[in-house]
Amino acid sequence: MHSFGYRANALVTFAVTILAAMCSLASLSDNFNVPTPTADVKVLNINWFQKQPNGNDEVSLTLNISVDLSSMFTWNTKQVFVFVAAEYETPQNALNQVSLWDGIIPSKEHAKFWIHTTNKYRFIDQGSNLRGKDFNLTLHWHVMPKTGKMFADKIVKSGYHLPEEYR
Amino acid sequence: MDWQGQKHSEFLMQILLVVFAVVAFAVGYAIESFQMMILIYASGVLLTALITVPNWPFFNRHPLKWLDPSEADRHPKPQATTAASKKKASKQK
């Protein structure tokens, strides 16, 4: 307090410290939110199923993804990142996860939607293990905050099956 | 600013910032708007800066009483001899 500069510095430092405290409180307040998400993924069609020249299987699917993630949004939510992954087991690997589609939900108004699409990313196996394979489709979401902790969770949908033969 | 003024300025600065922070958080949480919280707090910081940082007159209501120059002239500073002062300096060290 002995000069203008001293007081200005003290004020700015204190103001920023308080801002940090407010942001941590805002992040902590997210824990009071109890989300109730719903999601469903349907495989509408297996478009084609081939073995590539390098020996890897590839399949193209048409999916219908319908979600309601509006309960995940709080005042401290910047956006929700959502993606669908196919999960299956092979002799070489206990768990294979292949991301098929993702999207960004920018606000609560956009959080309840359905989308009819082919897989955005290629569903390729490391090997040729996909014939007749049972797989799960898991919908993951990452709730990205404006400040603080990010929450991530998922819903597993099982019971999907690939054809026995290439087509 | 005088000493009292500095004390008042620091106290005001701390109180004002905390009050604005509490109000900003409460309003932002209630109306579910992060942006509103930041807006209220930012304007609070600027207002507090305007009130407490510049050298306003109301911070100078207990000015220091410096000795009047004519009074100072009547009491000249004591002049120590150079030998005595050298000895004193070495003893103190």
Side-chain angles (χ1 to χ4, degrees), chain A:
Chain A
M1 303 316 185
H2 307 293
S3 72
F4 185 95
Y6 184 111
R7 288 190 296 275
N9 180 44
L11 180 135
V12 171
T13 310
F14 195 49
V16 171
T17 308
I18 292 181
L19 182 67
M22 277 161 60
C23 288
S24 351
L25 270 178
S27 179
L28 283 171
S29 78
D30 276 349
N31 290 311
F32 292 124
N33 186 40
V34 182
T36 52
T38 61
D40 190 30
V41 184
K42 292 195 206 20
V43 177
L44 296 173
N45 189 33
I46 310 273
N47 305 325
W48 46 264
F49 183 13
Q50 284 167 5
K51 184 170 174 157
Q52 294 180 337
N54 61 18
N56 295 333
D57 281 349
E58 183 176 353
V59 60
S60 166
L61 309 163
T62 302
L63 302 165
N64 183 320
I65 304 165
S66 81
V67 296
D68 180 6
L69 295 177
S70 48
S71 62
M72 324 277 331
F73 278 82
T74 70
W75 70 309
N76 186 30
T77 303
K78 167 94 174 68
Q79 65 195 15
V80 174
F81 175 69
V82 60
F83 68 95
V84 172
E87 292 176 353
Y88 58 95
E89 196 182 317
T90 61
Q92 295 95 351
N93 308 312
L95 177 65
N96 298 271
Q97 288 171 308
V98 182
S99 179
L100 298 180
W101 174 87
D102 58 27
I104 290 178
I105 307 174
S107 69
K108 196 169 183 161
E109 290 71 37
H110 294 98
K112 186 173 170 156
F113 65 91
W114 60 268
I115 178 171
H116 193 118
T117 175
T118 57
N119 44 311
K120 192 170 172 184
Y121 305 110
R122 300 171 68 178
F123 188 168
I124 300 177
D125 184 34
Q126 292 175 326
S128 63
N129 303 301
L130 290 183
R131 274 162 296 171
K133 180 65 71 181
D134 292 317
F135 63 99
N136 293 340
L137 284 173
T138 316
L139 187 101
H140 298 248
W141 56 83
H142 288 58
V143 180
M144 297 170 160
K146 293 192 170 115
T147 75
K149 184 172 183 288
M150 183 174 85
F151 294 85
D153 206 350
K154 62 187 182 187
I155 284 180
V156 181
K157 298 280 174 196
S158 49
Y160 305 92
H161 189 77
L162 284 170
E164 310 291 337
E165 292 301 321
Y166 296 125
R167 39 163 119 149

